[in-house]
Amino acid sequence: MSFGQPEGYDADARPRPLGRRGASQTAAAAVCLVLGLGLVSGAVTGSWLVGDPGEKGTRSTYTAAGSLWHSVPVDQLFPPTVQGRGAGPGGADRAWTRIAVAPDSGCKDAFDPLLHKVLAPVGCARLLRATYTDATESHVTTVGLLFTTADAPGMTSLANRFRKERLDRRTDLMPLPYAAKGTPAADFGAGQRASWTVSVLTDAPVVVYAVSGWADGRSVDDPQPAEDALASGATSAPAQAGLGHEAQGLADRIERDLRKNVRSATEQPS
């Protein structure tokens, strides 16, 4: 047994099958559909651009990271003592003590001219620096946090340039140390730089760097990037003294603390 298609009636009371629409009705329905989709997509786009302040995510995390320089105490960004388990040569433990904190500042005169030029595209919101010494006070290391004004694509672009052009390996792009009078780092100048590392973050508007040297103020003729100084069989003076480990180990731990502070800043109350 089969059933016929149900009928309805048109405006003149003539029977017509249900489910069929006239051309005008179809066009009207299509217009409504387009308008409806436009409103939905517009709402989604507006939400993406404005951002939901109660939503965790890449954008809120990135924003939070950029404001840490004025919202987090210096002792959280640069702890008075930093433990470096397995950070020394052969996996030996290291410990660093903070001996000086530079006043937070802009980037004028904070870098050699060429490095300043390379970093210029991401801007400079604030620069924070601290200098540490090891347990024997024979080595000194300055670690810096450059808070930029760049967005995420800008940071990614700079990170890609550093990687492709190996800018973190060039001796003419070493960061400057922060020397403080009356401390073991009093004579830690540009000529005393022995090893260094520079890390351009892409999930935060921050460049993390560290530069190490001897506390006795000796000049260094052959500075070596930390990555090379850490390599097995490296025989340079900085490598043999473990200064690559000093720079890389301290930079890694300051970066970890930075990320912990970002997570704390983006946590939502329960």
Side-chain angles (χ1 to χ4, degrees), residues 15 20 75 97 104 117 141 148 164 182 205 246:
R20 294 184 182 177
D75 284 353
T97 300
D104 60 324
K117 182 178 180 180
T141 303
T148 77
K164 292 176 181 178
E246 298 288 311

Side-chain angles (χ1 to χ4, degrees), residues 52-269:
D52 182 355
E55 178 183 356
K56 291 183 182 179
T58 301
R59 294 179 186 83
S60 61
T61 299
Y62 190 92
T63 301
S67 65
L68 291 183
W69 66 267
H70 64 76
S71 62
V72 173
V74 66
D75 284 353
Q76 289 181 224
L77 294 173
F78 298 121
T81 302
V82 177
Q83 298 297 326
R85 298 187 184 280
D93 293 342
R94 276 285 192 271
W96 298 280
T97 300
R98 193 185 70 200
I99 56 177
V101 176
D104 60 324
S105 65
C107 292
K108 183 180 180 181
D109 301 325
F111 301 107
D112 285 335
L114 189 55
L115 181 56
H116 188 279
K117 182 178 180 180
V118 169
L119 295 174
V122 295
C124 173
R126 215 66 175 178
L127 176 64
L128 307 184
R129 295 169 292 168
T131 298
Y132 289 78
T133 186
D134 66 324
T136 65
E137 295 191 353
S138 57
H139 301 147
V140 285
T141 303
T142 292
V143 60
L145 296 173
L146 166 61
F147 289 84
T148 77
T149 59
D151 56 13
M155 294 300 292
T156 298
S157 177
L158 182 63
N160 289 338
R161 184 184 177 194
F162 262 78
R163 184 181 68 256
K164 292 176 181 178
E165 300 179 27
R166 301 168 70 86
L167 300 184
D168 57 339
R169 314 285 286 276
R170 287 175 44 171
T171 56
D172 56 352
L173 294 177
M174 282 191 292
L176 286 170
Y178 174 66
K181 295 180 179 179
T183 73
D187 297 319
F188 190 21
Q192 285 68 46
R193 293 174 291 184
S195 191
W196 76 98
T197 182
V198 179
S199 177
V200 181
L201 307 188
T202 56
D203 56 348
V206 181
V207 177
V208 183
Y209 68 84
V211 56
S212 61
W214 280 277
D216 60 10
R218 75 182 74 174
S219 298
V220 180
D221 295 327
D222 57 344
Q224 189 174 37
E227 185 177 349
D228 292 345
L230 291 172
S232 177
T235 59
S236 69
Q240 292 293 307
L243 287 167
H245 290 81
E246 298 288 311
Q248 190 66 63
L250 191 52
D252 286 347
R253 281 147 185 84
I254 294 299
E255 182 178 330
R256 291 178 197 174
D257 286 340
L258 176 75
R259 295 184 184 281
K260 289 179 183 177
N261 284 302
V262 172
R263 286 195 295 271
S264 296
T266 54
E267 284 179 354
Q268 299 297 316

